[in-house]
Amino acid sequence: MTQKVLPSNPLVAVSDNGAPITSDGGNVLLSMFLNSPVVSRLFNNVEFNDNRKSPRYAKVELLLQMLIQVIEGYRNDDVADYLTQDIEHRLVYAQNMASQPTISRFLSHLTNEDIDELQELNRRIVSLIDERSANTELVLDLDSTYFETFGHQEKIGFNYHYLNVGYHPLIMTDALTGSVRQVSLRSGNTYTGNGATEFVQGYLSTSLSAQHQTIILRGDSGFATPDLMETLEGNNIFYTIRLKSNPRLKRMALDGRYVNFDNLLMIEGQLTTDEFEYQAASWDKARRVIVLNDEHGGTQFIVTNLSLPQKDIVRVYRKRAAIEDIIRELKGGFAFGKTDSSSFFANKARMWISVIASNLMRLMKSIALDDQQQSWTINTFRDRLLKIGGRVTKHARKVILTLDSRNQEQFDGLFWRAWERLNALWQ
């Protein structure tokens, strides 16, 4: 044992013979959630292909460790080497933590069938989120985003919108629950709408629930393709999609034969004229278009099959910005867009792990938190409930995790309320 006196204050001595401490004391809540019968059943049904000889860890165990690391906010795989020595992690998760090389090999051993299993796992998590929400309406937001890459990586490409080299994935979310429904990794030089119809069709064919009586899809102008609109119409799904401005649309917006200028409505700082019917050359029929004129003279066009009043359609479309907040949290809080592998396939697997981690936290928040706390970001959730200092001691053949006493005072019993709600999953 080493003990030294602090020179600035001789009354203080520093020793390295203390009990094990942790900065992740709140992980007991995460352990209660992940190991509960409700959630563990999800992982028990994951059927990975595994042709490895005498593996020390099953693939599903390695998946769980990666999810734990992402949820706790550890972005780099090499943190696994630290976690293997952390007594608190070994105790609360009731498993040994694999090292960084094992985690990296796990990604390289995944197959296409394993990715399908990740997608199915995500679908089952989303179903639980939907059941708890009891929403009869599903509002799907479709968008693309950008993953920056470094060095020589498979299927990267230069994107002229972002002026950088990387990937250009598709993402679809539900605005009402914040859950991520579907993602697809694509080369960086892929146009926004390429493959969007197949992307949406894949979701519609496997993941729709009878719970949702009304479904609305919102998208920007990159998704205003006739095949996507026809697919949505054929599945009785409503849509509001922005159209790219063109000379014909502008002429129609200014032509009194099409627009009733006596019907101008102020909507949240913008003007909408009356609607008109518009048929592009590639469309098989005319569709309803709403015209927006902002105070600076700009014009926007929205194509829709909704029968709502114009001002309501505008409000529905403008709330599509919610997907930007979800993408921002995915990237900042769940390492969505982490592309440190040269393999396209490994980066695709990481993308799905980030999505699953995010949806697991959406589910956990819906169970453990009060209504006014449901909008917490993952960073707030970690600060309030997971990143709590604690000391691990052994006494009378028991292991005791002693948490920082300020936690309950500071957050008015939040930790123990969450404990009781998660404990109910075990009843």
Side-chain angles (χ1 to χ4, degrees):
M1 179 186 76
T2 300
Q3 180 171 305
K4 298 182 182 295
V5 176
L6 187 66
S8 60
N9 187 345
L11 297 179
V12 177
V14 180
S15 170
D16 61 5
N17 193 34
I21 62 174
T22 180
S23 61
D24 296 313
N27 288 348
V28 291
L29 296 179
L30 184 57
S31 176
M32 291 174 68
F33 172 69
L34 293 177
N35 291 304
S36 67
V38 173
V39 179
S40 61
R41 190 181 305 120
L42 297 172
F43 291 92
N44 291 338
N45 290 329
V46 175
E47 298 180 356
F48 283 138
N49 289 325
D50 199 348
N51 297 321
R52 296 172 298 162
K53 295 182 179 179
S54 303
R56 182 177 179 183
Y57 302 94
K59 279 186 174 181
V60 71
E61 292 177 320
L62 298 174
L63 169 63
L64 271 168
Q65 179 174 334
M66 289 200 71
L67 288 170
I68 289 167
Q69 292 177 194
V70 170
I71 290 169
E72 290 180 1
Y74 297 116
R75 299 179 66 93
N76 297 322
D77 293 348
D78 56 9
V79 75
D81 294 333
Y82 157 74
L83 298 182
T84 59
Q85 306 300 319
D86 188 87
I87 187 172
E88 190 262 354
H89 279 80
R90 295 202 303 269
L91 290 172
V92 300
Y93 297 119
Q95 69 178 60
N96 290 324
M97 310 298 281
S99 63
Q100 177 269 322
T102 304
I103 291 294
S104 298
R105 286 194 297 270
F106 161 68
L107 291 173
S108 65
H109 281 107
L110 289 176
T111 65
N112 283 316
E113 290 76 14
D114 292 337
I115 296 294
D116 291 340
E117 285 293 306
L118 292 178
Q119 295 185 54
E120 177 60 22
L121 172 60
N122 186 66
R123 188 193 66 78
R124 292 196 294 266
I125 295 169
V126 167
S127 293
L128 292 178
I129 295 173
D130 287 342
E131 289 175 12
R132 293 191 60 82
S133 73
N135 291 329
T136 58
E137 186 175 68
L138 179 64
V139 182
L140 297 173
D141 287 326
L142 181 62
D143 206 349
S144 64
T145 186
Y146 186 74
F147 291 171
E148 188 174 2
T149 57
F150 306 90
H152 300 286
Q153 294 172 276
E154 293 179 343
K155 299 187 179 181
I156 60 175
F158 184 80
N159 187 288
Y160 285 91
H161 178 75
Y162 296 98
L163 297 177
N164 214 329
V165 175
Y167 296 123
H168 189 200
L170 281 174
I171 179 170
M172 185 162 60
T173 64
D174 171 34
L176 301 184
T177 63
S179 58
V180 184
R181 301 285 167 152
Q182 185 78 299
V183 287
S184 176
L185 192 61
R186 309 178 300 177
S187 172
N189 58 7
T190 306
Y191 177 69
T192 299
N194 285 4
T197 301
E198 295 77 9
F199 178 78
V200 173
Q201 280 179 328
Y203 175 79
L204 299 180
S205 63
T206 60
S207 305
L208 286 186
S209 168
Q211 170 182 331
H212 300 119
Q213 300 172 14
T214 302
I215 304 173
I216 302 173
L217 183 138
R218 305 183 292 203
D220 64 19
S221 60
F223 303 105
T225 60
D227 53 345
L228 178 57
M229 289 185 283
E230 290 167 11
T231 295
L232 296 172
E233 292 162 353
N235 285 274
N236 297 315
I237 294 174
F238 298 107
Y239 57 83
T240 59
I241 302 175
R242 183 176 171 179
L243 291 176
K244 286 185 177 179
S245 180
N246 62 54
R248 184 178 168 213
L249 279 171
K250 289 180 179 179
R251 285 196 303 270
M252 293 179 71
L254 295 173
D255 193 332
R257 292 176 300 172
Y258 298 100
V259 177
N260 179 3
F261 286 97
D262 295 328
N263 191 20
L264 292 173
L265 298 173
M266 180 66 72
I267 299 178
E268 299 176 6
Q270 286 191 330
L271 292 175
T272 175
T273 67
D274 205 349
E275 65 197 66
F276 56 74
E277 294 289 308
Y278 171 74
Q279 182 173 357
S282 60
W283 297 4
D284 62 345
K285 63 180 180 181
R287 293 180 169 90
R288 185 186 186 192
V289 171
I290 308 297
V291 185
L292 292 176
N293 295 300
D294 63 32
E295 57 186 358
H296 303 294
T299 304
Q300 295 181 11
F301 302 93
I302 300 173
V303 60
T304 184
N305 61 346
L306 282 167
S307 58
L308 296 173
Q310 298 166 34
K311 61 181 181 180
D312 293 331
I313 291 174
V314 172
R315 288 180 178 132
V316 167
Y317 176 79
R318 290 183 59 153
K319 290 180 180 179
R320 194 187 73 86
I323 193 172
E324 301 296 339
D325 294 330
I326 296 173
I327 293 174
R328 191 176 300 111
E329 172 157 311
L330 278 169
K331 289 184 174 181
F334 295 97
F336 187 67
K338 179 178 171 61
T339 56
D340 55 358
S341 174
S342 60
S343 164
F344 177 84
F345 196 82
N347 289 325
K348 181 178 179 180
R350 283 191 187 278
M351 177 184 68
W352 271 108
I353 289 170
S354 296
V355 167
I356 292 169
S358 171
N359 284 333
L360 280 171
M361 286 299 93
R362 296 278 177 184
L363 179 59
M364 185 175 177
K365 286 193 294 183
S366 73
I367 296 169
L369 299 183
D370 299 331
D371 291 344
Q372 64 269 26
Q373 297 156 348
Q374 296 295 317
S375 61
W376 278 3
T377 65
I378 184 58
N379 289 330
T380 301
F381 185 88
R382 288 180 187 133
D383 290 344
R384 301 290 182 88
L385 285 174
L386 300 185
K387 298 297 181 180
I388 302 173
R391 183 178 71 250
V392 180
T393 57
K394 293 184 179 180
H395 178 70
R397 291 185 293 181
K398 287 186 178 180
V399 176
I400 301 174
L401 175 62
T402 305
L403 300 180
D404 186 339
S405 62
R406 292 171 298 176
N407 176 66
Q408 187 167 359
E409 296 175 7
Q410 185 177 358
F411 304 125
D412 191 26
L414 171 67
F415 180 89
W416 295 114
R417 290 200 305 275
W419 177 287
E420 293 302 325
R421 290 167 180 169
L422 293 170
N423 191 53
L425 298 175
W426 293 77
Q427 307 303 317

